[in-house]
Amino acid sequence: IIGSGIAGLYAALHTDPSKRCAIITKVDLEHSNSWLAQGGIAAVIAPDDQPASHVEDTLLAGAGLCNRDAVELLVREGPMDIQELMELQVPFDVNAEGELQITREGGHSRRRIVHCGGDATGRETTRRLGEIALERKNLRFLFNTYLIDLVTSDGAVTGAVVFDRKPKYIACRNVIIATGGIGQLYRNTTNPRGAIGDGIACAARAGAALD
């Protein structure tokens, strides 16, 4: 798995415990867009909300740039993922009765946003998933390590070349790319230094379809 933000950690926690998995990360768990993300997570949880409403709100806010299939998948799986994060003891904010605090934010027509520590949702979610992942015997973190490129043969991935003081080859048949955004390609950005689009570029060179 390339990347140790929420996507990479969540994927790692869903790997087969009998399989060894390396998690490649440029620095550590505290240097990612996930760690810095404020606001909250949107999902259809409130009794007065509907999936169709969440889909339409997202498509409207996306101004024609959204992939509808991806939006519908996100909306469909969102409530289950929130439930799983709760079971993993991600510290979502709750009211006096112990129920999730669900708020409404810009672009949404219903209350469907859950938070951790007010606006520290990214930090607290990343921290908790990282704590669990670091304890998993089948997961190995390679900190301060960069992805250089993917290696393919006959259209299939056979490994990855990474850099940690010197180039290293990791043989593997399955790679999950969770490297985040491309903010550092722009002159002005609030993204951390690691958001350089390298994972997307490696995927493109390996023949992956980019959407």
Side-chain angles (χ1 to χ4, degrees):
I1 298 175
I2 316 298
S4 63
I6 291 175
L9 293 171
Y10 198 60
L13 295 177
H14 285 81
T15 58
D16 185 339
S18 67
K19 306 295 184 182
R20 292 186 301 168
C21 177
I23 302 172
I24 312 299
T25 180
K26 291 189 180 77
V27 186
D28 54 36
L29 299 182
E30 298 181 8
H31 290 79
S32 69
N33 275 330
S34 290
W35 185 272
L36 298 174
Q38 297 181 325
I41 305 173
V44 178
I45 301 172
D48 62 343
D49 200 2
Q50 295 292 332
S53 174
H54 192 182
V55 169
E56 292 309 314
D57 286 348
T58 305
L59 294 175
L60 179 62
L65 299 177
C66 297
N67 179 310
R68 188 180 186 99
D69 290 340
V71 170
E72 291 178 348
L73 178 65
L74 178 145
V75 169
R76 184 166 61 250
E77 294 187 352
M80 296 181 291
D81 288 326
I82 294 297
Q83 181 60 43
E84 185 164 356
L85 291 174
M86 292 174 63
E87 293 171 359
L88 292 171
Q89 298 182 346
V90 170
F92 289 115
D93 296 336
V94 296
N95 59 25
E97 287 72 41
E99 302 169 332
L100 281 175
Q101 289 185 346
I102 308 173
T103 63
R104 178 180 172 184
E105 294 184 356
H108 296 277
S109 59
R110 297 286 187 276
R111 296 182 306 115
R112 61 172 69 104
I113 314 297
V114 293
H115 297 84
C116 299
D119 280 340
T121 308
R123 182 190 69 201
E124 295 306 312
T125 303
T126 305
R127 188 202 309 274
R128 178 56 188 155
L129 297 184
E131 290 173 349
I132 300 170
L134 286 167
E135 295 177 353
R136 293 284 175 91
K137 301 299 183 183
N138 69 311
L139 302 180
R140 179 188 177 193
F141 282 83
L142 301 180
F143 295 108
N144 301 302
T145 302
Y146 290 77
L147 172 66
I148 295 178
D149 214 348
L150 300 175
V151 180
T152 62
S153 177
D154 296 325
V157 171
T158 58
V161 178
V162 301
F163 186 87
D164 174 15
R165 291 179 292 232
K166 62 180 181 180
K168 298 178 181 178
Y169 174 68
I170 301 175
C172 54
R173 292 182 297 174
N174 301 287
V175 177
I176 294 175
I177 297 178
T179 51
I182 61 174
Q184 287 297 332
L185 297 185
Y186 299 93
R187 176 177 298 175
N188 300 312
T189 179
T190 58
N191 284 195
R193 292 183 178 179
I196 60 176
D198 51 345
I200 297 173
C202 288
R205 288 195 295 268
L210 304 182
D211 198 353

Coordinates of all heavy atoms in Angstrom, one line a residue, residues 156-210:
A156 N 0.7 -6.8 -16.0 CA 0.4 -7.0 -14.6 C 1.5 -6.5 -13.7 O 2.7 -6.5 -14.0 CB 0.3 -8.5 -14.3
V157 N 1.2 -6.0 -12.5 CA 2.2 -5.5 -11.6 C 2.9 -6.6 -11.0 O 2.3 -7.6 -10.5 CB 1.5 -4.6 -10.5 CG1 2.5 -4.3 -9.4 CG2 0.9 -3.4 -11.1
T158 N 4.2 -6.5 -10.9 CA 5.1 -7.6 -10.3 C 5.9 -7.0 -9.1 O 6.5 -7.8 -8.4 CB 6.0 -8.1 -11.3 OG1 6.9 -7.1 -11.9 CG2 5.3 -8.8 -12.5
G159 N 5.9 -5.7 -8.9 CA 6.6 -5.2 -7.8 C 6.6 -3.6 -7.8 O 6.1 -3.0 -8.7
A160 N 7.4 -3.1 -6.9 CA 7.5 -1.7 -6.8 C 9.0 -1.3 -6.4 O 9.6 -2.0 -5.6 CB 6.6 -1.1 -5.7
V161 N 9.5 -0.3 -7.0 CA 10.8 0.2 -6.6 C 10.6 1.4 -5.7 O 9.9 2.4 -6.0 CB 11.6 0.7 -7.9 CG1 13.0 1.2 -7.5 CG2 11.8 -0.5 -8.8
V162 N 11.2 1.4 -4.5 CA 11.1 2.4 -3.6 C 12.5 3.0 -3.2 O 13.5 2.3 -3.5 CB 10.3 2.0 -2.3 CG1 8.9 1.5 -2.7 CG2 11.1 0.9 -1.6
F163 N 12.5 4.1 -2.5 CA 13.8 4.7 -2.1 C 13.8 5.0 -0.6 O 13.0 5.7 -0.1 CB 14.0 6.0 -2.9 CG 15.4 6.6 -2.7 CD1 16.4 6.2 -3.5 CD2 15.6 7.5 -1.7 CE1 17.7 6.7 -3.3 CE2 16.9 8.1 -1.5 CZ 17.9 7.6 -2.3
D164 N 14.8 4.4 0.0 CA 15.1 4.7 1.4 C 16.6 4.7 1.6 O 17.2 3.6 1.8 CB 14.4 3.7 2.4 CG 14.8 3.8 3.8 OD1 15.4 4.9 4.2 OD2 14.6 2.9 4.6
R165 N 17.2 5.8 1.4 CA 18.7 6.0 1.3 C 19.3 5.4 0.1 O 20.3 5.8 -0.4 CB 19.3 5.4 2.6 CG 19.1 6.2 3.8 CD 19.7 5.6 5.0 NE 19.1 4.3 5.3 CZ 18.7 4.0 6.5 NH1 18.8 4.8 7.5 NH2 18.1 2.8 6.7
K166 N 18.6 4.3 -0.5 CA 19.0 3.8 -1.7 C 17.8 3.1 -2.3 O 16.8 2.7 -1.6 CB 20.2 2.8 -1.6 CG 19.8 1.6 -0.7 CD 21.0 0.6 -0.6 CE 20.6 -0.6 0.3 NZ 21.8 -1.5 0.4
P167 N 17.8 2.8 -3.7 CA 16.6 2.2 -4.3 C 16.5 0.7 -3.8 O 17.5 0.0 -3.6 CB 17.0 2.2 -5.8 CG 18.0 3.3 -5.9 CD 18.8 3.3 -4.7
K168 N 15.2 0.3 -3.6 CA 15.0 -1.1 -3.2 C 13.8 -1.6 -4.0 O 12.9 -0.9 -4.4 CB 14.6 -1.1 -1.7 CG 15.7 -0.7 -0.7 CD 15.2 -0.7 0.7 CE 16.2 -0.2 1.7 NZ 15.7 -0.2 3.1
Y169 N 13.9 -2.9 -4.3 CA 12.8 -3.5 -5.1 C 11.9 -4.4 -4.1 O 12.5 -5.2 -3.4 CB 13.3 -4.4 -6.2 CG 12.3 -5.2 -6.9 CD1 11.4 -4.6 -7.7 CD2 12.2 -6.6 -6.8 CE1 10.4 -5.3 -8.4 CE2 11.3 -7.3 -7.5 CZ 10.4 -6.7 -8.3 OH 9.4 -7.4 -8.9
I170 N 10.6 -4.2 -4.1 CA 9.7 -5.0 -3.4 C 8.9 -5.8 -4.3 O 8.1 -5.2 -5.1 CB 8.8 -4.1 -2.5 CG1 9.6 -3.3 -1.5 CG2 7.8 -5.0 -1.7 CD1 8.8 -2.3 -0.7
A171 N 9.0 -7.1 -4.3 CA 8.2 -8.0 -5.2 C 6.8 -8.1 -4.6 O 6.6 -8.4 -3.4 CB 8.8 -9.4 -5.3
C172 N 5.8 -7.9 -5.4 CA 4.4 -8.0 -5.0 C 3.5 -8.0 -6.2 O 3.8 -7.5 -7.2 CB 4.0 -6.8 -4.1 SG 4.3 -5.2 -4.8
R173 N 2.4 -8.7 -6.0 CA 1.4 -8.9 -7.1 C 0.3 -7.9 -7.0 O -0.5 -7.7 -8.0 CB 0.9 -10.3 -7.2 CG 2.0 -11.3 -7.6 CD 1.3 -12.7 -7.7 NE 0.8 -13.2 -6.4 CZ 0.2 -14.3 -6.2 NH1 -0.2 -15.1 -7.2 NH2 -0.2 -14.6 -5.0
N174 N 0.1 -7.3 -5.8 CA -1.0 -6.4 -5.6 C -0.5 -5.1 -5.0 O 0.2 -5.1 -4.0 CB -2.0 -7.1 -4.7 CG -2.6 -8.3 -5.3 OD1 -3.4 -8.3 -6.2 ND2 -2.2 -9.5 -4.7
V175 N -0.9 -4.0 -5.6 CA -0.5 -2.7 -5.0 C -1.7 -1.8 -4.9 O -2.5 -1.7 -5.9 CB 0.6 -2.0 -5.9 CG1 0.9 -0.6 -5.4 CG2 1.8 -2.8 -6.0
I176 N -1.9 -1.2 -3.8 CA -3.0 -0.2 -3.6 C -2.3 1.2 -3.6 O -1.4 1.4 -2.7 CB -3.8 -0.4 -2.3 CG1 -4.5 -1.7 -2.4 CG2 -4.7 0.8 -2.1 CD1 -5.3 -2.1 -1.1
I177 N -2.7 2.1 -4.4 CA -2.1 3.4 -4.5 C -3.1 4.4 -3.7 O -4.2 4.6 -4.2 CB -1.9 3.9 -5.9 CG1 -0.8 3.0 -6.6 CG2 -1.4 5.3 -5.9 CD1 -0.5 3.3 -8.0
A178 N -2.6 4.9 -2.6 CA -3.4 5.8 -1.8 C -2.6 7.0 -1.4 O -2.4 7.4 -0.3 CB -3.9 5.1 -0.5
T179 N -2.0 7.7 -2.5 CA -1.0 8.7 -2.3 C -1.6 10.1 -2.2 O -0.9 11.1 -2.0 CB 0.0 8.7 -3.4 OG1 -0.7 8.7 -4.7 CG2 0.9 7.4 -3.3
G180 N -2.9 10.2 -2.3 CA -3.5 11.6 -2.1 C -3.4 12.4 -3.3 O -3.4 12.0 -4.5
G181 N -3.4 13.7 -3.1 CA -3.6 14.7 -4.2 C -2.3 15.2 -4.8 O -1.2 14.6 -4.7
I182 N -2.5 16.3 -5.6 CA -1.4 16.8 -6.4 C -1.1 18.3 -6.1 O -0.5 19.0 -6.9 CB -1.7 16.7 -7.9 CG1 -2.9 17.5 -8.2 CG2 -1.9 15.2 -8.3 CD1 -3.3 17.6 -9.7
G183 N -1.4 18.7 -4.8 CA -1.3 20.1 -4.5 C 0.0 20.8 -4.7 O 0.1 21.9 -5.1
Q184 N 1.1 20.0 -4.5 CA 2.4 20.6 -4.7 C 2.8 20.9 -6.1 O 3.9 21.5 -6.4 CB 3.5 19.7 -4.0 CG 3.4 19.8 -2.5 CD 3.7 21.2 -1.9 OE1 4.4 22.0 -2.5 NE2 3.2 21.5 -0.7
L185 N 2.0 20.5 -7.1 CA 2.2 20.9 -8.4 C 1.9 22.3 -8.7 O 2.3 22.9 -9.7 CB 1.4 20.0 -9.4 CG 1.7 18.5 -9.4 CD1 0.8 17.8 -10.4 CD2 3.1 18.2 -9.6
Y186 N 1.2 23.0 -7.7 CA 0.8 24.4 -7.9 C 1.7 25.3 -7.1 O 2.3 24.9 -6.0 CB -0.6 24.5 -7.5 CG -1.6 23.7 -8.4 CD1 -2.0 22.5 -8.0 CD2 -2.0 24.2 -9.6 CE1 -2.8 21.7 -8.8 CE2 -2.9 23.5 -10.4 CZ -3.3 22.2 -9.9 OH -4.1 21.5 -10.7
R187 N 1.9 26.5 -7.5 CA 2.7 27.5 -6.8 C 2.2 27.7 -5.4 O 3.0 27.8 -4.4 CB 2.8 28.8 -7.6 CG 3.6 29.8 -6.9 CD 3.7 31.1 -7.7 NE 4.5 30.8 -9.0 CZ 4.6 31.7 -10.0 NH1 4.1 32.9 -9.8 NH2 5.3 31.4 -11.0
N188 N 0.9 27.9 -5.3 CA 0.3 28.1 -4.0 C -0.6 27.0 -3.6 O -1.5 26.6 -4.3 CB -0.5 29.4 -4.0 CG 0.3 30.6 -4.4 OD1 1.4 30.8 -3.8 ND2 -0.2 31.4 -5.4
T189 N -0.4 26.4 -2.4 CA -1.2 25.3 -1.9 C -1.0 25.1 -0.4 O 0.0 25.6 0.2 CB -0.7 24.0 -2.6 OG1 -1.5 22.9 -2.1 CG2 0.8 23.7 -2.2
T190 N -2.1 24.6 0.2 CA -2.0 24.3 1.6 C -1.7 22.8 1.8 O -1.7 22.4 3.0 CB -3.4 24.6 2.3 OG1 -4.4 23.9 1.7 CG2 -3.7 26.1 2.2
N191 N -1.5 22.1 0.8 CA -1.2 20.7 0.9 C 0.2 20.4 1.5 O 1.1 21.3 1.3 CB -1.2 20.0 -0.5 CG -2.6 19.8 -1.0 OD1 -2.8 19.0 -2.0 ND2 -3.6 20.4 -0.4
P192 N 0.4 19.3 2.2 CA 1.8 19.0 2.7 C 2.7 18.7 1.5 O 2.3 18.5 0.4 CB 1.5 17.8 3.6 CG 0.3 17.2 3.0 CD -0.6 18.3 2.6
R193 N 4.0 18.7 1.8 CA 5.0 18.6 0.8 C 4.9 17.2 0.0 O 5.4 17.1 -1.1 CB 6.4 18.7 1.4 CG 6.7 20.1 1.9 CD 8.1 20.2 2.4 NE 8.4 21.6 2.9 CZ 9.6 21.9 3.4 NH1 10.5 21.0 3.5 NH2 9.8 23.2 3.8
G194 N 4.3 16.2 0.7 CA 4.3 14.9 0.0 C 3.2 14.8 -1.1 O 3.2 13.8 -1.8
A195 N 2.3 15.8 -1.2 CA 1.2 15.7 -2.2 C 1.7 16.2 -3.5 O 1.4 17.3 -4.0 CB 0.0 16.5 -1.7
I196 N 2.4 15.3 -4.2 CA 3.1 15.7 -5.5 C 2.5 14.9 -6.7 O 3.0 15.1 -7.8 CB 4.6 15.5 -5.4 CG1 5.0 14.0 -5.1 CG2 5.2 16.4 -4.3 CD1 6.4 13.7 -5.1
G197 N 1.6 14.1 -6.5 CA 1.0 13.4 -7.6 C 1.8 12.2 -8.1 O 1.5 11.7 -9.2
D198 N 2.8 11.7 -7.3 CA 3.6 10.7 -7.8 C 2.9 9.3 -7.9 O 3.2 8.6 -8.9 CB 4.8 10.5 -6.9 CG 4.5 10.4 -5.4 OD1 3.3 10.7 -5.0 OD2 5.3 10.0 -4.6
G199 N 2.0 9.1 -7.1 CA 1.2 7.8 -7.2 C 0.4 7.8 -8.4 O 0.3 6.7 -9.1
I200 N -0.2 8.9 -8.8 CA -1.0 9.0 -10.0 C -0.2 8.8 -11.2 O -0.5 8.0 -12.1 CB -1.8 10.3 -10.1 CG1 -2.8 10.4 -8.9 CG2 -2.5 10.4 -11.4 CD1 -3.4 11.8 -8.8
A201 N 1.0 9.4 -11.2 CA 1.9 9.2 -12.3 C 2.4 7.8 -12.5 O 2.5 7.3 -13.6 CB 3.1 10.2 -12.1
C202 N 2.7 7.1 -11.4 CA 3.2 5.7 -11.4 C 2.1 4.9 -11.9 O 2.3 3.9 -12.7 CB 3.6 5.3 -10.0 SG 5.2 5.9 -9.5
A203 N 0.8 5.1 -11.5 CA -0.3 4.3 -12.0 C -0.5 4.5 -13.5 O -0.7 3.5 -14.2 CB -1.6 4.8 -11.2
A204 N -0.3 5.7 -13.9 CA -0.5 6.0 -15.4 C 0.6 5.2 -16.2 O 0.3 4.6 -17.2 CB -0.4 7.5 -15.7
R205 N 1.8 5.3 -15.7 CA 2.9 4.6 -16.4 C 2.7 3.1 -16.4 O 3.1 2.4 -17.4 CB 4.2 4.9 -15.8 CG 4.7 6.4 -16.1 CD 6.2 6.5 -15.7 NE 6.4 6.4 -14.3 CZ 6.4 7.4 -13.4 NH1 6.1 8.6 -13.8 NH2 6.7 7.1 -12.1
A206 N 2.0 2.6 -15.4 CA 1.8 1.2 -15.3 C 0.6 0.7 -16.1 O 0.3 -0.5 -16.2 CB 1.6 0.7 -13.8
G207 N -0.1 1.7 -16.7 CA -1.3 1.4 -17.6 C -2.6 1.4 -16.9 O -3.6 1.0 -17.5
A208 N -2.7 2.0 -15.7 CA -4.0 2.1 -15.0 C -4.9 3.1 -15.7 O -4.4 4.1 -16.2 CB -3.8 2.4 -13.5
A209 N -6.2 2.9 -15.6 CA -7.1 3.9 -16.1 C -7.3 5.0 -15.1 O -7.6 4.7 -13.9 CB -8.4 3.2 -16.4
L210 N -7.1 6.2 -15.5 CA -7.3 7.3 -14.6 C -8.6 8.0 -14.9 O -8.8 8.4 -16.0 CB -6.1 8.3 -14.7 CG -4.7 7.8 -14.5 CD1 -3.6 8.9 -14.6 CD2 -4.6 7.0 -13.2

